[in-house]
Amino acid sequence: MNRREALTSVSVLLGGAIIGAEMFLSGCKNPADSAALFNTDDITLLDDIAETIIPTTPDSGGGKAARVGAFMKQIVTDCYTKIEQDHFIKGIATFKDACKEHYKKAFGGLSVAEKEAFLTRLHQEAKAHQETDAYKKEKELFNQQQEDWVKAEEAKHNFGAGYIKQSYPPHYFAMMRQLTLWGYFSSKEGMTKALRYVETPGRYDGAFPYKKGDKAWAL
C-alpha cells in the first residue's frame, strides 16, 4: 500500500479529509520547530486511547500492538502545521484534566468500561462542537484567509504554499480518533490481522462472494 492508498482507505472510514494529509503525501517535513512535543507519558496515554478505540481481539492485536501512540507522535511532529500541533498538544492536557475532574484519577487507572464511557462522551462532545455556528463561522473565515494567502504566494511563484497552508483544527478528540484509525489500518497489525490480507493477490475480481461478517480487504 502506498501513501495515497492508505489515506484513501482511512478517509473512507472517517468520511472526510485527513488532517496532515497534504504534507504527508508531499513527503515534506514540517518546517515548524517541533522538538520535544511529546514525552513518554503522552505516548503511553495515546496508546491507551488507541487500545480503547480498537481493542485487542482473539485474532488481532489492538491499538497498543500497532504502536499507534508512536504513529501519532510521528504524524503530528512531521505533518501537522504549527496551529494543528499546538491544538493537539493542548488537547492532551485538556483530556487529562477532564478525566481527573470526572473520575478523580488518570485515564490509565480507569476500568475498561470507564474508558469506553469517557471516550464515547468525548466523541459526542467533538461532534456537537463541530456543529456549532461559532465553530463553522471561525473555520470558514480562517480557511478563506489561508486560501487568500496561498493565492498571494503562488502569484510570487511560491507553488509549494498549498502544501503548508494551515487548516482550522477540529475538536482535539476528533484528531486523536482520526490518527488512531489511520495509524491502525495502515500498520502491519491492522493490515494483516484485522483486515483480510493476501500478500500476492491475483486478478481483480469485482464480484468476489461476500458473507455477512467477513472482514474488509486490505488494499
Side-chain angles (χ1 to χ4, degrees), residues 111-152:
S111 67
V112 171
E114 288 173 330
K115 289 178 179 176
E116 291 174 348
F118 185 58
L119 295 195
T120 298
R121 188 168 72 88
L122 285 182
H123 180 50
Q124 296 301 326
E125 179 183 302
K127 289 172 63 178
H129 171 70
Q130 287 162 214
E131 291 301 319
T132 61
D133 290 339
Y135 173 80
K136 291 178 180 177
K137 188 174 181 179
E138 290 173 4
K139 180 181 177 182
E140 183 180 357
L141 176 61
F142 183 90
N143 288 345
Q144 186 57 56
Q145 290 172 341
Q146 288 297 305
E147 290 298 328
D148 292 343
W149 174 78
V150 170
K151 288 179 182 176

Side-chain angles (χ1 to χ4, degrees), residues 22-218:
E22 290 181 343
M23 187 75 79
F24 179 75
L25 289 172
S26 74
C28 297
K29 189 169 182 178
N30 195 337
D33 181 8
S34 51
L37 282 176
F38 297 85
N39 59 40
T40 304
D41 288 344
D42 292 335
I43 304 304
T44 299
L45 172 63
L46 295 173
D47 270 338
D48 214 1
I49 293 171
E51 181 69 23
T52 305
I53 295 173
I54 305 178
T56 299
T57 65
D59 59 354
S60 64
K64 284 185 179 177
R67 302 185 68 240
V68 170
F71 174 85
M72 290 193 204
K73 173 189 174 185
Q74 195 72 51
I75 294 297
V76 172
T77 300
D78 290 350
C79 300
Y80 273 25
T81 64
K82 182 70 166 58
I83 288 177
E84 291 162 349
Q85 287 178 347
D86 291 346
H87 192 68
F88 190 89
I89 297 301
K90 184 180 178 183
I92 292 176
T94 302
F95 182 100
K96 292 176 180 176
D97 291 344
C99 187
K100 286 186 177 176
E101 181 180 349
H102 194 74
Y103 292 102
K104 310 303 180 191
K105 51 188 175 182
F107 187 71
L110 303 183
S111 67
V112 171
E114 288 173 330
K115 289 178 179 176
E116 291 174 348
F118 185 58
L119 295 195
T120 298
R121 188 168 72 88
L122 285 182
H123 180 50
Q124 296 301 326
E125 179 183 302
K127 289 172 63 178
H129 171 70
Q130 287 162 214
E131 291 301 319
T132 61
D133 290 339
Y135 173 80
K136 291 178 180 177
K137 188 174 181 179
E138 290 173 4
K139 180 181 177 182
E140 183 180 357
L141 176 61
F142 183 90
N143 288 345
Q144 186 57 56
Q145 290 172 341
Q146 288 297 305
E147 290 298 328
D148 292 343
W149 174 78
V150 170
K151 288 179 182 176
E153 290 298 307
E154 288 179 344
K156 294 185 285 187
H157 304 293
N158 177 14
F159 297 108
Y163 289 115
I164 58 174
K165 70 178 180 181
Q166 312 264 357
S167 296
Y168 195 71
H171 190 283
Y172 70 89
F173 185 68
M175 303 169 94
M176 293 177 178
R177 182 171 174 271
Q178 187 178 89
L179 284 171
T180 295
L181 296 178
W182 180 4
Y184 185 76
F185 287 108
S186 58
S187 72
K188 181 179 179 180
E189 193 70 29
M191 291 288 287
T192 62
K193 295 181 181 177
L195 301 173
R196 286 191 286 178
Y197 176 75
V198 178
E199 184 174 2
T200 309
R203 64 179 177 82
Y204 172 75
D205 185 354
F208 191 84
Y210 170 79
K211 298 193 303 294
K212 186 176 181 179
D214 281 350
K215 296 177 181 177
W217 287 101

